[in-house]
């Protein structure tokens, strides 16, 4: 048995997402690129590459990882490239997307022979959090003025619109795409490819996948472009758990259980967005607050129900622990990073990576 804490990537739970992505590609013609900013556990990239078309990135290191570990296309994007990395980004990618016209012009000479694109900010989004809203006031994420974009349209062959965020509402997606077509259609029709970004929860239960496929196919046909999607959470939702063990219990007005993990170190988005973890099972007569082991007072996974009182040694499974977890894990308090394990389709579990004191020491100097 693998010692906790560890992330457990279950291929049998990853597979349904992959099959929906592959079906969408065949039905709509849209290609899907894994967004490495969300999930970069390359131990399962070979498996995922049978269903997806490549990767998209947010930095030089993600570009290099995509090129080295994931067969298919490698798209490079960054909010800003530095002078000392642009040549390596270009060498490691099939397409490079610039965040601003300023960056496109700054690196015009180096990128002139490369497939180039520009991020466009359509001014609308589905984000419920201002922190994550790419279309928030004064946003630095993409160009928004059609006239300015038109002036450089001859230097690029594609756009990237990323304005969805955990969007489960197809009608909302459809309306926003209509807004994009209305405002930027004359520019889109000059391009060869368009990325509609990520944040579209099209692998979720009940999502009208057929309508989504028809809308993408129609958009591609009417504008004569190749459509790309950049799924992150949609690719890996419900595929992974964070396995933890109860270390201690106490009562201070509520039943408290301390586990060998930490939201600040291992599930940082729970802290950033003030969210509760998902726990299964979450039913029974006994309510417990599950707490992390760091010194942060608010290191709390949430309150859950259990069939019996928790005790030291009990194992708990935190659900949906793939997206924005492993890519954000850190060494706060020197808490041991969770190992990464993979459950194969035949049920066998293998340890893909463990982290030791040497890794902790190597992260600092």
């Amino acid at each position: 048995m693998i010692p906790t804490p560890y992330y457990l990537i279950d291929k049998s739970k990853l597979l349904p997402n992959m099959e929906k992505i592959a079906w969408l590609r065949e039905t709509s013609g849209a290609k899907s690129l894994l967004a490495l900013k969300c999930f970069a556990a390359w131990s399962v990239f070979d498996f995922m590459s049978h269903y997806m078309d490549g990767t998209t990135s947010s930095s030089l290191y993600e570009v290099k990882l995509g090129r080295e570990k994931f067969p298919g296309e490698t798209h490079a994007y960054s909010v800003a490239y530095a002078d000392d990395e642009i040549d390596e980004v270009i060498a490691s990618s099939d397409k490079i997307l610039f965040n601003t016209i300023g960056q496109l012009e700054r690196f015009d000479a180096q990128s002139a022979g490369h497939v180039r694109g520009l991020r466009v900010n359509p001014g609308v989004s589905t984000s419920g959090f201002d922190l994550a809203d790419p279309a928030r006031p004064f946003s630095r994420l993409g160009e928004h003025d059609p006239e300015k974009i038109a002036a450089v349209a001859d230097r690029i062959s594609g756009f990237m619109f990323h304005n969805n965020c955990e969007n489960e509402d197809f009608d909302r997606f459809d309306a926003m795409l209509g807004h994009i077509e209305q405002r930027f259609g004359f520019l889109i029709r000059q391009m060869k490819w368009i990325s509609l970004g990520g944040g579209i929860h099209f692998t979720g239960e009940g999502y009208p996948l057929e309508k989504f496929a028809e809308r993408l196919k129609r958009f591609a046909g009417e504008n004569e472009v190749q459509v790309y999607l950049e799924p992150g959470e949609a690719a890996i939702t419900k595929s992974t758990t964070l396995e933890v063990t109860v270390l201690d219990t106490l009562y201070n007005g509520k039943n408290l259980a301390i586990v060998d993990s930490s939201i600040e170190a291992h599930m940082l988005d729970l802290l950033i967005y003030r969210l509760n973890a998902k726990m299964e099972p979450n039913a029974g007569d006994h309510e417990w607050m599950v707490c992390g082991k760091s010194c942060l007072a608010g290191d709390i996974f949430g309150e859950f129900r259990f069939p019996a009182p928790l005790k030291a040694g009990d194992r708990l499974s935190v659900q949906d622990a793939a997206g924005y977890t492993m890519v954000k894990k850190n060494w706060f308090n020197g808490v041991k990073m969770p190992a990464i394990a993979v459950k194969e389709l035949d049920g066998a579990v293998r340890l893909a990576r463990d982290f030791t004191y040497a890794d902790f020491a190597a992260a600092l100097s």
Side-chain angles (χ1 to χ4, degrees):
M1 183 176 293
I2 300 172
T4 60
Y6 64 92
Y7 302 102
L8 179 61
I9 306 169
D10 189 335
K11 286 185 177 178
S12 69
K13 295 179 179 179
L14 184 60
L15 182 59
N17 298 327
M18 295 295 100
E19 290 176 334
K20 288 181 180 179
I21 289 172
W23 181 90
L24 184 66
R25 176 175 56 188
E26 293 300 317
T27 306
S28 71
K31 296 183 178 182
S32 286
L33 308 172
L34 177 64
L36 298 182
K37 65 180 180 180
C38 173
F39 182 80
W42 50 266
S43 293
V44 292
F45 279 5
D46 283 348
F47 175 75
M48 299 176 77
S49 69
H50 293 293
Y51 305 89
M52 303 187 71
D53 299 284
T55 60
T56 187
S57 58
S58 300
S59 66
L60 169 60
Y61 289 170
E62 285 188 353
V63 173
K64 293 177 68 173
L65 185 72
R67 175 66 92 196
E68 291 177 4
K69 303 293 187 182
F70 202 112
E73 294 187 46
T74 306
H75 288 205
Y77 166 77
S78 176
V79 173
Y81 299 107
D83 289 347
D84 62 354
E85 64 184 13
I86 188 67
D87 290 340
E88 196 170 5
V89 169
I90 292 171
S92 301
S93 63
D94 299 295
K95 293 182 175 68
I96 183 168
L97 291 111
F98 292 100
N99 185 61
T100 64
I101 293 172
Q103 283 260 299
L104 171 63
E105 293 178 336
R106 180 176 179 178
F107 299 116
D108 183 62
Q110 293 99 315
S111 64
H114 209 57
V115 179
R116 301 187 296 195
L118 182 70
R119 179 167 182 170
V120 179
N121 189 330
V124 292
S125 80
T126 61
S127 177
F129 296 96
D130 182 66
L131 181 67
D133 186 354
R136 63 190 287 180
F138 318 113
S139 174
R140 73 197 191 285
L141 301 176
E143 294 285 353
H144 67 279
D145 187 334
E147 291 186 8
K148 291 182 178 179
I149 297 169
V152 298
D154 60 339
R155 302 193 209 176
I156 57 179
S157 60
F159 294 133
M160 187 262 277
F161 298 91
H162 176 48
N163 61 313
N164 288 276
C165 183
E166 296 185 355
N167 184 10
E168 301 177 347
D169 186 340
F170 169 76
D171 291 334
R172 177 65 174 143
F173 166 81
D174 183 29
M176 289 197 303
L177 186 56
H179 170 85
I180 289 171
E181 289 177 299
Q182 182 178 18
R183 187 176 181 196
F184 300 100
F186 76 101
L187 292 168
I188 291 172
R189 287 186 288 275
Q190 298 177 46
M191 298 296 114
K192 295 180 180 178
W193 53 274
I194 301 292
S195 172
L196 298 178
I200 309 165
H201 200 53
F202 62 88
T203 58
E205 292 183 16
Y207 192 89
L209 202 56
E210 292 81 5
K211 289 184 178 180
F212 186 51
E214 186 278 329
R215 186 67 173 96
L216 294 177
K217 187 174 183 178
R218 177 157 47 92
F219 175 84
E222 291 175 351
N223 295 289
E224 298 183 343
V225 292
Q226 171 63 57
V227 173
Y228 287 90
L229 301 174
E230 301 179 4
E233 292 276 10
I236 47 79
T237 185
K238 297 184 178 180
S239 68
T240 302
T241 57
L242 175 60
E243 301 294 314
V244 302
T245 298
V246 176
L247 301 178
D248 195 13
T249 62
L250 67 156
Y251 181 82
N252 187 8
K254 291 185 177 181
N255 292 313
L256 311 177
I258 301 169
V259 300
D260 57 355
S261 182
S262 162
I263 64 167
E264 181 163 22
H266 307 151
M267 296 191 76
L268 187 58
D269 270 10
L270 297 181
L271 182 65
I272 292 174
Y273 295 107
R274 301 293 192 267
L275 301 172
N276 285 335
K278 300 173 184 177
M279 188 76 68
E280 289 184 11
N282 184 16
D285 297 332
H286 303 272
E287 186 171 0
W288 285 75
M289 179 183 290
V290 177
C291 311
K293 67 174 293 183
S294 81
C295 67
L296 180 69
D299 191 354
I300 309 295
F301 284 85
E303 296 185 36
F304 312 99
R305 306 197 72 88
F306 299 92
L310 296 181
K311 62 184 183 302
D314 283 349
R315 293 279 293 268
L316 306 178
S317 293
V318 181
Q319 303 297 305
D320 220 0
Y324 299 100
T325 55
M326 286 171 267
V327 295
K328 290 190 176 186
K329 66 186 185 304
N330 59 72
W331 286 110
F332 179 65
N333 270 195
V335 176
K336 178 177 168 57
M337 281 189 182
I340 299 174
V342 177
K343 187 175 183 180
E344 303 291 348
L345 294 177
D346 63 4
V349 177
R350 62 180 174 88
L351 179 64
R353 176 68 194 275
D354 196 11
F355 299 91
T356 66
Y357 168 75
D359 297 305
F360 169 66
L364 299 168
S365 178

